[in-house]
Structure formats: C-alpha cells, structure tokens
Amino acid sequence: MAADDLKAVVVGGGIGGLAAAVALAQAGWRVTVLERAPAFGEVGAGLATTGNGMTALAALGLAEAARAVAYQTGTAGTQDSSGRWIMRMPDTRSDPTAVTTIWGLQRQRLHGILRAAAEAADAIELVTGAEVVTVGPGEPGGVPARVAWRTGPQSRRVTTDLVVAADGVRSAVRAQLFPAALARYSGSTSWRAVIADTETEDRLVQAWGPGTEFGSLRVSPTEIYWYGYFRNPEGEVFPDELAAARERFATWAPWVRGLVDKTTADQLMRHDVYHLPGGLPAYTNGRVVFAGDAAHAMLPTAGQGAATALEDGVCVGRLIGAPVRNGGDLAAALAAYDRARRPRCRQIARTAILTARLGCDLGGGWRQPVRNAIFRLLPPAPLLKAGQSIVRWTAP
C-alpha cells in the first residue's frame, strides 16, 4: 500500500472510535468515521477515569482540554447500605500519580473534546446517519477491506486499507466477522444521573447491598454523578423510573437517599448492562481491528470502559497507523496490536467480573455481613498494589 495515501474507515463515533480516528490522522492517515446515529453524541451520564485514561488522552494531545472539563478527585472507599465503612482508601485526590486518584467526567463533555479534535483535523471526515451493511475484511498484504453503508435512501461502498470496528457492545461488524461472539445480559441494570450538588463528598464513594451497588462522585464543582446498579430481569420497564429508584434506596444511607431525592425524572436514565464474556478470540480479522466495547465490553465494576477504549484508540494509531505509515508490514502491526491489547483487556474484564461477584452481585442474608467483615480486616495496601497494573499504563 502507498504510504502517501493510506485510508481507514472507523465504524462508530463514540469515545473509542473518535480516539482511533484522531490517532490515525496524527499518524498520517485519511480517516472516514461512520456514525449510525443522526448526530455525533454520547449516551450516558458520567464516568470516572483513572490515570491510564488520562495517559491516553495525553498521548492524543488532549490532556489539557480534558482536565479543563474534568474534576480531579479520588476513591474514598466502600460502605454498606447503612453507610458504615467496609473499606477506606487514603485521600490521594491531590496527587495525579496515585492509584486511587480519578477524574470525574460528564460523558458528553469528554466526547465533545474528542469530536472537536476530529472536526479540527483535515484528514478526518465525519459521516452521520450511516448504517453499515457489510464489511469485507480483506487480507493484509492482499485485497483491501470493503465497507458498504446506507445513509437514508443512498448507499455507498468503499475500499480501504484498514477498518476500525468501534461500534459498541452490539457491534454490527463483530456480528459479521465473529458471529459466535455474542454480548450477554449481565443480570444487572443501572440507573444514572448527573445532578446539581455542592455538598456531597467529592470522592468516589460506593455502597454495597444485596444484589445492588450505589456510587457517586463529583464531575464538576457544582455537579455530582450517581449510579444505582442492581440485579433485575432483562428488559423490565418501570412505569415510574424515579419512583422505583426512590423505593429501592429508601432504606439506604442518608447520603444515598438524598442524592436520589434531589434527582428529577428528566435527569434519570436507566440501561440494562451487557458485556462480552472473554472478549473476542482475536482483536483483528483481515484488515479489521476491533476497539472498545466491540472487542471487550466489560462490566462497569472495574470502572475501565472509557479508559480502555481510549487506550485502544491510541494503540490503533501508534501500533498500526504509525508503523505502516513508515513502511512497516500491516500484518505485523495488526499482530502487535492484538498482543498488546487482548491480554490486558481480558485481565481487566476478569477483574470486573470478580469485583461484581464480591460486591454488587452478592446476595443477601449471611453473605453480606460475612463479606463486609472480611473486607474490614483487609489493609488497603495490597488492593492498591493490585490496581497499579491497570492504572499505570504507558502509551506505546
């Protein structure tokens, strides 16, 4: 392939897809981003990203912009549903290098930073309302990849040197190339909201109850993000979501009840949580590379969904885009991406599953006081050390 005319198609205009597009453009590629929705945007309320997510944003040249819309804070620890501490973490919010330092972000603001970077790049074309119909993976060193999509009544088909599948947990590209890799319902659903608040603890505080987790953290000086994650039948609809949330947490700690009570119906959203157990058997297929939830949709209990998507985007640019632009072999670059990303993301996904089993998925009865008593005996140091391999990531 001619290094002067390298082209990529990114399927999906979320956090991971835009990060990959920006990274590829920085590596000298021309990129088309196909977003199925009628406008580029991000669904969700808030998120917490750890140091690895900020490292990825710095690698894209967006750390300063991200810090301007983020709230630097920390992890305070975990309580039981009555508000009694199960485990407490040291206050590290002022130290950006600490394992427990996190940045609270409203999801749309983070997405807006990535979208602005993509819009400012002459080498990136953003296409909305694009429903991908077929993807032919092609062969590295052989035939190019093919992507066909519909925009309203119009159809378009292109050949391309690389396809980045970043189209989420229900990835259309994954369904075509890895049809056996199906997203599964986790057994839990989650309420989420960002509300006006200046009084609540600004660090991330989590509370565990039978089959339930509640958490909150500050995403700006005047806003708190909270979530209520609980076991529930798939697809169930509550006639009044806000009333259901208030009823579920009516006996929890005062700070939990207070946040739910301050929430209005238009601020509240709920989504069933799906994941991809084990992830894909390979993060590449032909000239197609998978990123974000399309490759490794995780439970939210490790708090790494956005961070790993950002990491993937950086690695698409640095492990594939830059080496190939400099004359390297595409097959070797794709293999390097798979070696770098798949073991790491599998391990993080396993951590999320284990965290869920010990925390929010744990049933009631004797299990709750026994678990809580064990965790109260654990010193924080081993837990912090275990998190270092996730948080202290270095961009290639």
Side-chain angles (χ1 to χ4, degrees):
M1 64 185 71
D4 292 337
D5 192 29
L6 290 167
K7 295 179 293 184
V9 172
V10 176
V11 183
I15 288 171
L18 290 178
V22 172
L24 283 168
Q26 290 173 347
W29 289 56
R30 298 199 64 81
V31 186
T32 300
V33 181
L34 304 178
E35 169 55 44
R36 183 170 182 169
F40 279 90
E42 180 70 10
V43 176
L47 62 88
T49 190
T50 45
N52 51 314
M54 295 303 288
T55 297
L57 287 164
L60 297 171
L62 300 176
E64 184 176 345
R67 290 192 189 99
V69 299
Y71 187 90
Q72 184 174 323
T73 180
T75 302
T78 305
Q79 301 177 357
D80 63 19
S81 59
S82 68
R84 183 186 175 197
W85 287 101
I86 297 171
M87 53 183 172
R88 302 193 74 167
M89 295 296 176
D91 189 346
T92 62
R93 76 188 92 181
S94 63
D95 179 4
T97 66
V99 172
T100 53
T101 296
I102 56 177
W103 287 261
L105 284 152
Q106 203 254 19
R107 293 189 72 95
Q108 287 83 357
R109 291 172 194 148
L110 174 59
H111 185 269
I113 288 168
L114 292 160
R115 186 176 71 248
E119 290 171 344
D122 292 337
I124 298 177
E125 177 189 11
L126 301 175
V127 181
T128 57
E131 180 186 359
V132 172
V133 179
T134 58
V135 174
E139 299 175 7
V143 297
R146 304 180 311 280
V147 181
W149 70 91
R150 287 193 295 261
T151 304
Q154 298 181 334
S155 297
R156 188 176 174 190
R157 181 187 303 268
V158 298
T159 59
T160 186
D161 301 303
L162 181 71
V163 176
V164 181
D167 50 342
V169 65
R170 299 185 182 278
S171 169
V173 181
R174 186 181 69 230
Q176 292 185 42
L177 302 186
F178 290 100
L182 300 174
R184 299 180 189 172
Y185 181 52
S186 67
S188 295
T189 191
S190 184
W191 281 303
R192 290 170 291 168
V194 173
I195 65 172
D197 178 279
T198 58
E199 301 170 356
T200 304
E201 161 75 64
D202 70 344
R203 290 191 293 166
L204 172 63
V205 181
Q206 297 170 314
W208 286 340
T212 308
E213 177 180 314
F214 190 96
S216 73
L217 82 156
R218 188 161 296 285
V219 295
S220 81
T222 59
E223 295 169 306
I224 282 282
Y225 161 59
W226 71 259
Y227 65 88
Y229 182 82
F230 60 101
R231 306 296 285 175
N232 201 60
E234 181 180 10
E236 182 175 2
V237 176
F238 297 115
D240 186 330
E241 291 284 345
L242 185 56
R246 288 174 175 168
E247 180 181 357
R248 175 166 286 272
F249 295 107
T251 61
W252 283 52
W255 68 270
V256 173
R257 298 198 308 270
L259 290 176
V260 180
D261 286 345
K262 286 196 290 187
T263 304
T264 59
D266 63 309
Q267 293 171 323
L268 187 66
M269 62 181 66
R270 182 171 65 85
H271 294 94
D272 287 349
V273 177
Y274 293 83
H275 68 137
L276 193 64
L280 288 180
Y283 284 9
T284 65
N285 185 318
R287 291 173 177 262
V288 179
V289 57
F290 288 80
D293 284 351
H296 48 70
M298 306 171 184
L299 297 181
T301 46
Q304 287 295 315
T308 52
L310 289 166
E311 289 180 15
D312 289 345
V314 170
C315 288
V316 167
R318 295 197 174 187
L319 296 179
I320 302 173
V324 173
R325 180 69 175 78
N326 292 328
D329 179 67
L330 177 61
L334 289 165
Y337 175 90
D338 186 67
R339 287 195 304 272
R341 299 308 301 155
R342 188 153 50 97
R344 173 172 170 80
C345 292
R346 279 187 169 178
Q347 181 58 48
I348 295 173
R350 285 193 291 266
T351 299
I353 290 172
L354 177 61
T355 301
R357 287 174 179 168
L358 295 174
C360 55
D361 289 354
L362 194 67
W366 60 270
R367 299 173 186 83
Q368 293 287 312
V370 169
R371 185 268 317 277
N372 296 351
I374 292 172
F375 271 88
R376 287 187 179 108
L377 295 174
L378 294 176
L383 298 174
L384 297 177
K385 185 176 181 181
Q388 289 182 2
S389 63
I390 296 176
V391 173
R392 291 179 176 166
W393 174 76
T394 302

